[in-house]
Amino acid sequence: MGAEAGGRDAGPHYLPIAEHGLIGDLRSVALVGSDGTIDWYCCPDFDAPSVFAAVLDAERGGAFELAAALPARTKQFYFPDTNVLITRFSTEDGVGEVQDFMPVGAEGTESERHRLIRRVVCVRGTLPFRARIAPRFDYGARPHTVRVDGEAVVFASDGLSLALTSTVPLEVQGPDAWAEFKLTEGESAVFALDQVGADIAPRRCARVEAEQQFATTVAYWRRWLSASKYRGRWREMVHRSALTLKLLTYAPTGAIVAAPTTSLPEQLGGERNWDYRYVWVRDAAFCVYALLRLGFSGEAEQFMTFVTRHISPGDGKQLGPLQVMYGIDGRTDLTETELPHLEGHQGSAPVRVGNAAADQLQLDIYGALIDSIYLYDKWAQPISSDQWDDVCALVDWVCEHWDQPDEGIWETRGGRKNFLYSRLMCWVAIERAIRMARRRGLPADLPRWGGNRDAIYRRIMTRGWSESRQAFVQYEGGDVLDAAVLMMPLTKFIAPTDPKWLSTLDALKKDLVSDSLVYRYDPVASPDGLRGDEGTFSICSFWYVEAMVHAGRVEEARLAFEKMLTYGNHLGLYAEEISHTGEQQGNFPQALTHLGLISAAFNLDRALG
């Protein structure tokens, strides 16, 4: 991982998606490149317009460059058991480190400062550094002014102002600020970027304060991680995944975003570019499972609060289908628009904000949601009577509507079908509710629920099975394979050693598995309404591991899992997909992939004994 330090070369320059680390304050995050440049940052929240978006347009997006002013070898790593990121620059004359973090846990108006601290330390010899702070507000579309306010440089645009303070002199040049400085062994410099406004004045971050906030932030993450109950073989990877999931949590509401980025391409030059900075009911519900498995019941409780407040049907309105995704504050309007002034990552347009899939019908989300409620009720604490009323309303709706076609888990834009996975998760929704009712003696229309559950089972076993393929298939009456059926044994719908399932597993391995990496489906055989190819889908690779574990193929599963770990980036982070050449593709990092890693590790550990 070598980068030419001292600012990026003239002309468009893009680091690969995987060449980034992540920092955050449980409200937003920043992507920090392995060359020391912050390429992505939205302030004050995950889904706010970007301030730095060079990852989507190297020239117009804006960036915060901070690196050695000489050619240097770089190495990036996390301070152990934290989300404090360190980028090291090594030269013949000296070694320096940039420590990047966002303080967590501030109270009152200080929490609205959304401070981002970049602490530069020379650990050996002497090293010159160069910084360029070039914000571009509102995805690079809104102009801003620059003024010096005491010790701060204030970048002001309509609706958002940021103050930059530094312990080294800053120079203003056009819309940007610059700094050039030299440090010798033991010396440090501090840059702090704050949101400022009527109630929050610019405030310098002195070296002593930066050291204190560094220590406080390290202590926060270590204290949080110490609650983990995981003691298995892959502790470092599992804990990095847990820390990443926590970073994707929006503390004010308990929401968990699918990923903190938008429009990172699933294929370079393709159109499969989506905004993932929202709460997918499916993804977040799986997150509850992973967090509960590790012992983080507080995060699970916060998400259940979000569900009760924003997703439940118990608000007096006529019950209709749940929305597929919600804003981090629970809002439902996620209108999708394109930003034509941005060229996209490595020229992969369009850049999209919002997500039209919010209006799709995806019946599988009912199973994911009610399964998470079931797990929370079983492992954390019993749900309330009002929550049970909501569950009953949801299950009654599923009983009425489970047999209609929908867009499915993969949000295809090629028309509705009778997807097997959607049927499977409707079965899960009803079956888990029946379990809760029986275990706790809760009131329920069990004859109706049981009848619909059994009808779905029969429907899947007859119409979802292809005699010609000797496998369960993507949709009724078809013969296309889909990795989503890997969830059949994981949800306890079918015995993991059932001959029909083992035959399906063999068929999936033959058609969709490439050296342990799993494609979700073949878009040529099953057109999804979009141009281009895609890589292997990382969550499916972890589902494949679990399915093999349950089928008794433990050594094969372990090899596939260990191989999958080698596709994580230098920090153990995963995007949504892996390309044909082994590169990370899609939004980054993706919550669904990291929770899949946690679940696979947990179940593989248990099988290995």
Side-chain angles (χ1 to χ4, degrees):
M1 186 190 317
E4 287 297 310
R8 296 189 175 178
D9 297 334
H13 172 71
Y14 292 92
L15 280 181
I17 291 169
E19 288 292 313
H20 291 89
L22 192 73
I23 60 171
D25 63 356
L26 308 182
R27 284 165 175 77
S28 186
V29 301
L31 289 187
V32 185
S34 59
D35 63 354
T37 297
I38 293 179
D39 273 333
W40 178 253
Y41 175 52
C42 298
C43 185
D45 303 313
F46 287 108
D47 56 358
S50 65
V51 174
F52 303 128
V55 73
L56 293 178
D57 193 310
E59 292 193 334
R60 289 175 287 271
F64 189 152
E65 300 174 10
L66 179 55
L70 299 170
R73 298 181 306 280
T74 65
K75 185 176 180 64
Q76 199 173 52
F77 54 96
Y78 279 110
F79 207 71
D81 293 338
T82 77
N83 282 315
V84 174
L85 188 65
I86 297 175
T87 307
R88 178 184 294 152
F89 298 89
S90 301
T91 72
E92 295 299 321
D93 297 323
V95 178
E97 294 179 349
V98 177
Q99 302 168 349
D100 286 310
F101 63 98
M102 295 167 70
V104 184
E107 297 180 355
T109 56
E110 281 303 299
S111 68
E112 301 304 312
R113 191 175 289 277
H114 301 287
R115 172 163 278 183
L116 192 161
I117 293 177
R118 313 202 71 186
R119 185 168 173 248
V120 192
V121 180
C122 184
V123 296
R124 189 174 301 141
T126 301
L127 204 58
F129 284 88
R130 184 168 180 268
R132 172 177 171 259
I133 302 88
R136 299 293 183 265
F137 293 86
D138 195 8
Y139 306 105
R142 193 179 298 272
H144 68 272
T145 61
V146 185
R147 72 177 190 274
V148 177
D149 184 349
E151 294 182 295
V153 173
V154 178
F155 305 96
S157 73
D158 291 344
L160 180 65
S161 293
L162 299 177
L164 174 72
T165 59
S166 172
T167 58
V168 296
L170 293 167
E171 294 183 20
V172 173
Q173 190 175 73
D176 308 335
W178 295 76
E180 292 185 346
F181 56 99
K182 183 177 287 189
L183 299 178
T184 58
E185 188 168 329
E187 292 183 333
S188 66
V190 176
F191 295 84
L193 190 67
D194 297 347
Q195 179 185 8
V196 293
D199 299 326
I200 310 169
R203 182 166 61 79
R204 185 169 178 262
C205 183
R207 289 182 182 86
V208 172
E209 183 181 358
E211 287 180 19
Q212 291 172 341
Q213 293 201 316
F214 177 89
T216 300
T217 304
V218 165
Y220 172 87
W221 289 116
R222 288 183 169 170
R223 185 170 60 251
W224 180 81
L225 190 62
S226 69
S228 170
K229 297 177 181 177
Y230 182 77
R231 298 292 183 268
R233 294 166 176 79
W234 298 283
R235 190 174 176 189
E236 186 174 342
M237 293 296 291
V238 167
H239 281 174
R240 177 50 52 198
S241 290
L243 284 162
T244 302
L245 288 175
K246 181 64 173 175
L247 272 182
L248 302 184
T249 303
Y250 184 64
T253 64
I256 302 171
V257 297
T261 55
T262 180
S263 302
L264 293 182
E266 295 176 19
Q267 179 193 24
L268 288 179
E271 65 174 339
R272 299 167 186 267
N273 313 327
W274 315 112
D275 192 348
Y276 275 18
R277 297 172 298 158
Y278 307 113
V279 188
W280 264 255
V281 175
R282 172 192 311 117
D283 294 20
F286 278 126
C287 279
V288 171
Y289 169 80
L291 290 166
L292 285 174
R293 272 292 186 213
L294 297 180
F296 295 110
S297 57
E299 282 67 28
E301 182 176 357
Q302 288 175 326
F303 176 67
M304 293 308 299
T305 300
F306 179 87
V307 168
T308 303
R309 185 171 298 152
H310 299 295
I311 302 178
S312 76
D315 56 6
K317 299 176 183 175
Q318 185 175 2
L319 184 63
L322 292 178
Q323 191 158 303
V324 172
M325 70 191 82
Y326 295 80
I328 54 176
D329 56 356
R331 73 185 187 283
T332 56
D333 182 9
L334 303 178
T335 302
E336 184 177 300
T337 57
E338 294 185 5
L339 304 179
H341 65 281
L342 296 179
E343 73 168 14
H345 180 74
Q346 296 194 35
S348 300
V351 172
R352 294 183 172 100
V353 173
N355 200 310
D359 299 324
Q360 290 187 351
L361 176 64
Q362 296 178 22
L363 295 172
D364 65 280
I365 64 175
Y366 288 87
L369 180 60
I370 294 178
D371 194 31
S372 73
I373 296 171
Y374 161 77
L375 293 169
Y376 181 78
D377 180 77
K378 181 180 179 181
W379 291 346
Q381 64 179 13
I383 62 171
S384 69
S385 55
D386 285 344
Q387 287 172 317
W388 177 247
D389 289 342
D390 290 344
V391 169
C392 290
L394 291 169
V395 174
D396 287 340
W397 190 91
V398 171
C399 288
E400 286 285 333
H401 299 92
W402 64 263
D403 62 345
Q404 58 184 299
D406 70 345
E407 272 88 4
I409 179 177
W410 305 129
E411 295 168 2
T412 61
R413 302 193 180 191
R416 293 181 178 181
K417 291 186 174 72
N418 290 307
F419 288 106
L420 184 151
Y421 183 78
S422 300
R423 300 280 182 273
L424 169 69
M425 297 308 287
C426 285
W427 178 89
V428 168
I430 301 172
E431 199 274 337
R432 298 304 191 264
I434 291 173
R435 285 196 195 189
M436 274 191 284
R438 286 180 171 158
R439 191 179 77 248
R440 291 186 50 195
L442 295 168
D445 190 350
L446 290 178
R448 181 182 183 224
W449 290 5
N452 279 277
R453 176 197 62 186
D454 297 348
I456 297 172
Y457 179 90
R458 297 295 179 197
R459 178 85 163 257
I460 291 174
M461 296 303 286
T462 54
R463 301 193 198 178
W465 172 259
S466 168
E467 282 293 335
S468 62
R469 298 300 300 268
Q470 284 294 293
F472 291 102
V473 290
Q474 186 179 59
Y475 55 86
E476 293 179 2
D479 59 5
V480 176
L481 298 181
D482 189 325
V485 304
L486 288 164
M487 287 297 291
M488 293 177 75
L490 307 188
T491 57
K492 297 180 168 42
F493 176 87
I494 193 169
T497 54
D498 187 294
K500 282 189 171 182
W501 173 249
L502 293 177
S503 176
T504 300
L505 194 56
D506 290 338
L508 290 170
K509 181 177 180 179
K510 180 174 179 289
D511 276 31
L512 297 182
V513 179
S514 172
D515 190 36
S516 81
L517 302 179
V518 182
Y519 293 93
R520 51 182 178 172
Y521 56 87
D522 180 355
V524 176
S526 178
D528 54 15
L530 297 164
R531 297 188 308 275
D533 297 324
E534 60 178 16
T536 56
F537 218 68
S538 295
I539 182 63
C540 296
S541 300
F542 287 122
W543 286 348
Y544 179 60
V545 170
E546 280 203 59
M548 287 195 295
V549 168
H550 290 300
R553 303 175 181 179
V554 179
E555 286 306 316
E556 192 178 347
R558 181 173 188 172
L559 179 61
F561 183 75
E562 295 277 11
K563 280 188 173 182
M564 190 59 193
L565 293 185
T566 68
Y567 285 97
N569 82 342
H570 57 288
L571 299 167
L573 303 181
Y574 289 84
E576 185 173 34
E577 300 182 16
I578 297 169
S579 74
H580 302 295
T581 57
E583 299 295 322
Q584 303 251 9
Q585 294 182 154
N587 285 308
F588 172 89
Q590 193 206 27
L592 197 57
T593 299
H594 283 279
L595 67 93
L597 185 156
I598 292 169
S599 183
F602 183 89
N603 285 288
L604 185 54
D605 263 319
R606 190 164 56 181
L608 289 168

